[in-house]
Amino acid sequence: MRKETSKRRFGSATLPLAAVLSILIPSSSNAFHLPSSASSLRNYAHPTTTTTSLMSFMADSSDYKADKSDYGEGGDDDAAAEAALPIRGEVEMADVPVTEEVAVPNSRNNVGNRFVALVFDRSLCSKYDLENWEDNGEENPLWEMHKDRVALTEDHVMWARQQNLYNETFNTDSMADIRFSHQLLSSDLQRTIGHAMCIDSPTIDDCREALSRDPIIRSLIGVDDDGQCDVSSVPLYRWRQIRDHTLRMDDGRNGAPTMLLAFDRPEAMSDGLREQVQNGHLEYLIRSERIVAAGPLHVATQEKSDPKSIAVGTLMIFNAEDRDDAIEFVENDPMAAAGVYETMTVHRYNQLDVTGKFVSENLYYPKQNTYQMKEAMEYWGYPVDDDQTTWLNW
């Protein structure tokens, strides 16, 4: 693939997307291609940590009673009486009703099988002429694909929210949880070019069955006479996300969230190169203090323990100040410096609210009352609170 050599600073642009359904992150990138060679590793200073001893107190304050106070000794009855008064807003513990918190079980789909589906419109859609459109006087088909995707974004989000529901009121047969769905953007921020989805599912067949009902995928690939969609052409991988807390920073902290999709040289696993640089790679990510989520992509086999499920790449979400910062960061990764990767692409993206918990004011259309959507979801039985879908709070 052609390596892009120009480096433009990210700019700002207005995306004509259904912002009510998404948390729009100021972003700016398409997939820009990077060389597999890289410069030396940065030097990062270890942060200084301080341990603070925390003291716990009795909930009823029995260790200290107002009537035992020596405040006001010396005859100041008014001060002593004032000391015994409750603080404004204080409620006697005896008046507080006792409620028992019931543990919410994890989704049955959270069984250690995490998949990533990469949906790129241009590679999956065949109904547009990408070669001769200009000679025929037609509109650029890339814009047509963008319009099609925007028109289906609401259906896509609601499909994902239904998949995530696992309670006694609605859709109890769901066998896949959509952990995230990120709309990948073009370099000019004017078009969506695809989306990357993270899916938890007991089996790969359940995962593919869920994908076959994604409205956007069905529009791109099409359906047969029986209404079935063959999703075998959608790239699907097992994602072995590294769960260490140091690699789960807040997205948007000190920069905008950026996604790296890197795929290995065919020889990287057989010659042991990936394994050799793995520790250096992890140390680099931890010291950077900018990783939102990261982990290797593996072949999507039926069983997680299948020896054929070898590592074939890396998916990493990290915060970057701008395009140059993103390029420099991924180039300095020991994996890239050692030549593990054959291709590397970096994307800025829009984060769609597939859980329905983060419906907020529409910044593009302030007059739109977006809170009605959350109220409607709650009425329909969708879990809109954190304690109802604990497996999605990550």
Side-chain angles (χ1 to χ4, degrees), residues 200-379:
D200 282 351
S201 187
T203 69
I204 190 173
D205 292 334
D206 291 326
C207 180
R208 286 190 171 129
E209 192 278 331
L211 288 175
S212 70
R213 291 184 285 105
D214 179 355
I216 292 180
I217 292 179
R218 292 174 69 88
S219 174
L220 290 171
I221 299 177
V223 297
D224 59 22
D225 295 337
D226 296 326
Q228 302 298 312
C229 180
D230 181 6
V231 296
S232 59
S233 58
V234 177
L236 186 65
Y237 305 91
R238 283 187 178 272
W239 186 35
R240 301 193 178 181
Q241 182 185 356
I242 305 170
R243 302 300 182 92
D244 191 90
H245 71 280
T246 58
L247 301 179
R248 296 182 64 168
M249 299 296 175
D250 294 335
D251 53 351
R253 176 179 294 182
N254 299 325
T258 307
M259 179 182 294
L260 167 70
L261 293 173
F263 292 94
D264 297 3
R265 294 183 299 103
E267 306 83 10
M269 179 58 69
S270 59
D271 61 17
L273 183 57
R274 169 178 275 273
E275 184 177 356
Q276 293 173 19
V277 299
Q278 178 66 14
N279 289 339
H281 167 70
L282 292 178
E283 182 178 2
Y284 178 74
L285 300 187
I286 291 172
R287 289 187 176 186
S288 72
E289 297 184 348
R290 61 164 74 190
I291 305 300
V292 178
L297 295 171
H298 288 246
V299 175
T301 54
Q302 289 289 345
E303 299 294 334
K304 186 176 181 179
S305 58
D306 192 329
K308 295 181 180 179
S309 183
I310 61 174
V312 294
T314 298
L315 185 150
M316 180 168 60
I317 301 174
F318 62 98
N319 294 316
E321 295 179 358
D322 52 30
R323 180 177 181 177
D324 293 339
D325 182 43
I327 292 175
E328 181 181 5
F329 176 70
V330 298
E331 282 184 340
N332 287 337
D333 185 339
M335 284 279 189
V340 173
Y341 301 136
E342 183 175 42
T343 63
M344 301 171 66
T345 56
V346 179
H347 303 265
R348 286 288 171 85
Y349 59 84
N350 288 336
Q351 180 177 346
L352 297 178
D353 179 15
V354 295
T355 67
K357 297 179 181 180
F358 309 108
V359 176
S360 59
E361 181 183 359
N362 188 333
L363 299 180
Y364 289 93
Y365 304 97
K367 295 182 180 180
Q368 188 173 19
N369 185 359
T370 59
Y371 294 100
Q372 290 179 349
M373 178 180 295
K374 188 170 184 177
E375 294 173 357
M377 289 179 60
E378 187 173 10
Y379 176 80

Side-chain angles (χ1 to χ4, degrees), residues 95-109:
D95 298 332
V96 177
V98 177
T99 58
E100 181 179 358
E101 292 290 343
V102 179
V104 179
N106 278 340
S107 166
R108 59 186 170 185
N109 301 322

Side-chain angles (χ1 to χ4, degrees), residues 14-290:
T14 300
L15 292 178
L17 301 179
V20 61
L21 301 175
S22 58
I23 299 174
L24 295 181
I25 300 170
S27 19
S28 160
S29 102
N30 81 285
F32 47 85
H33 301 270
L34 307 172
S36 56
S37 60
S39 55
S40 60
L41 179 66
R42 296 186 196 172
N43 294 321
Y44 289 94
H46 290 279
T48 303
T49 58
T50 304
T51 303
T52 304
S53 298
L54 302 179
M55 179 177 292
S56 60
F57 297 88
M58 296 293 291
D60 62 354
S61 303
S62 59
D63 290 340
Y64 184 85
K65 293 292 186 180
D67 58 2
K68 295 181 180 180
S69 172
D70 58 358
Y71 182 81
E73 285 187 357
D76 192 345
D77 295 335
D78 293 338
E82 183 178 351
L85 292 176
I87 300 174
R88 179 179 297 178
E90 183 180 12
V91 179
E92 292 291 340
M93 295 301 297
D95 298 332
V96 177
V98 177
T99 58
E100 181 179 358
E101 292 290 343
V102 179
V104 179
N106 278 340
S107 166
R108 59 186 170 185
N109 301 322
N110 188 7
V111 292
N113 290 324
R114 179 158 291 180
F115 301 95
V116 166
L118 302 178
V119 182
F120 288 99
D121 298 357
R122 189 167 183 171
S123 62
L124 293 177
C125 184
S126 59
K127 63 181 179 180
Y128 293 110
D129 185 358
L130 298 174
E131 301 295 335
N132 304 312
W133 62 271
E134 194 168 12
D135 296 336
N136 298 333
E138 299 174 353
E139 185 180 10
N140 189 332
L142 297 179
W143 277 108
E144 290 297 320
M145 284 189 280
H146 165 73
K147 293 176 182 178
D148 290 347
R149 172 175 283 275
V150 171
L152 290 170
T153 297
E154 182 175 356
D155 293 339
H156 169 75
V157 170
M158 295 305 291
W159 160 79
R161 290 174 181 175
Q162 290 181 20
Q163 286 295 140
N164 288 337
L165 192 70
Y166 177 57
N167 62 14
E168 298 176 354
T169 62
F170 191 86
N171 200 32
T172 56
D173 295 329
S174 174
M175 296 300 292
D177 295 336
I178 312 300
R179 303 303 296 262
F180 65 68
S181 179
H182 295 334
Q183 277 191 338
L184 307 178
L185 303 177
S186 61
S187 59
D188 58 7
L189 291 180
Q190 296 299 306
R191 293 182 295 106
T192 55
I193 62 174
H195 64 279
M197 281 190 295
C198 177
I199 306 167
D200 282 351
S201 187
T203 69
I204 190 173
D205 292 334
D206 291 326
C207 180
R208 286 190 171 129
E209 192 278 331
L211 288 175
S212 70
R213 291 184 285 105
D214 179 355
I216 292 180
I217 292 179
R218 292 174 69 88
S219 174
L220 290 171
I221 299 177
V223 297
D224 59 22
D225 295 337
D226 296 326
Q228 302 298 312
C229 180
D230 181 6
V231 296
S232 59
S233 58
V234 177
L236 186 65
Y237 305 91
R238 283 187 178 272
W239 186 35
R240 301 193 178 181
Q241 182 185 356
I242 305 170
R243 302 300 182 92
D244 191 90
H245 71 280
T246 58
L247 301 179
R248 296 182 64 168
M249 299 296 175
D250 294 335
D251 53 351
R253 176 179 294 182
N254 299 325
T258 307
M259 179 182 294
L260 167 70
L261 293 173
F263 292 94
D264 297 3
R265 294 183 299 103
E267 306 83 10
M269 179 58 69
S270 59
D271 61 17
L273 183 57
R274 169 178 275 273
E275 184 177 356
Q276 293 173 19
V277 299
Q278 178 66 14
N279 289 339
H281 167 70
L282 292 178
E283 182 178 2
Y284 178 74
L285 300 187
I286 291 172
R287 289 187 176 186
S288 72
E289 297 184 348
R290 61 164 74 190

